[in-house]
Amino acid sequence: MERGERAKANFLKGYNCAQSVALAFADVVGLDEESLLKAVSPFGGGFGRLREVCGAFSGMTFVYGCVFGYADPKDMQSKKEVYADIQDMAEKFAGANGSIVCRELIGVKGKESPVPEKRTAEYYKKRPCAEICAAAAEILAEKLALKGHIN
């Protein structure tokens, strides 16, 4: 199963967007699945349903950081490379989806109640999130493959 298909299937199982994308790359992150899912859980709903940066995009950047992030605050070359790659992926993500901002992607005005919506057939019909998760995972997979980290 391709990474995009995995991410979409994860969303359809009930994981939030960040979890869906990150879980599709659990094999490359270096964390057990439970720790991974917990670490990215607050990113769903554009950071706790604040509807800011899309959870799928946040999940992408989390995985990227686990694989290629820097630890030395003085390593300016690594910082530059990380930021350049994130900006490149943001451009591709926005190009594919229209934005990297959750509220713009799903058509809501802003912050919502912290109570998540029930995942019903109607919910899945009105939300593009499953497809956005798939697109995010494919963009990330392409970047990881270009950098020789996955096939």
Side-chain angles (χ1 to χ4, degrees):
M1 183 182 291
E2 295 295 321
R3 302 291 175 153
E5 293 171 4
R6 287 186 206 174
K8 181 177 180 176
N10 292 337
F11 186 81
L12 295 174
K13 288 177 188 173
Y15 292 107
N16 73 35
C17 295
Q19 290 174 316
S20 297
V21 173
L23 188 57
F25 294 89
D27 60 313
V28 300
V29 170
L31 294 171
D32 63 272
E33 286 187 8
E34 183 178 357
S35 297
L36 172 65
L37 290 166
K38 286 180 177 182
V40 298
S41 65
F43 303 162
F47 289 92
R49 292 178 52 89
L50 290 170
R51 303 303 181 198
E52 297 294 338
V53 174
C54 170
F57 184 77
S58 297
M60 288 172 57
T61 60
F62 178 86
V63 170
Y64 178 93
C66 287
V67 177
F68 296 113
Y70 61 88
D72 180 354
K74 295 178 181 152
D75 185 352
M76 301 309 277
Q77 183 60 34
S78 291
K79 283 185 183 186
K80 176 183 159 194
E81 289 172 15
V82 166
Y83 296 162
D85 282 345
I86 296 305
Q87 288 184 12
D88 177 59
M89 288 190 297
E91 187 175 314
K92 288 177 179 164
F93 185 93
N97 300 296
S99 178
I100 67 166
V101 178
C102 177
R103 71 179 157 271
E104 294 171 3
L105 294 167
I106 66 170
V108 299
K109 296 205 185 291
K111 176 181 143 180
E112 294 185 310
S113 161
V115 179
E117 291 179 60
K118 290 190 180 191
R119 298 286 184 94
T120 63
E122 187 59 34
Y123 172 91
Y124 288 116
K125 283 182 191 174
K126 71 178 182 178
R127 288 288 167 91
C129 303
E131 295 301 327
I132 290 171
C133 288
E138 290 303 323
I139 292 165
L140 177 58
E142 179 183 305
K143 180 63 74 177
L144 295 177
L146 283 172
K147 295 178 81 74
H149 198 74
I150 62 172
N151 294 329

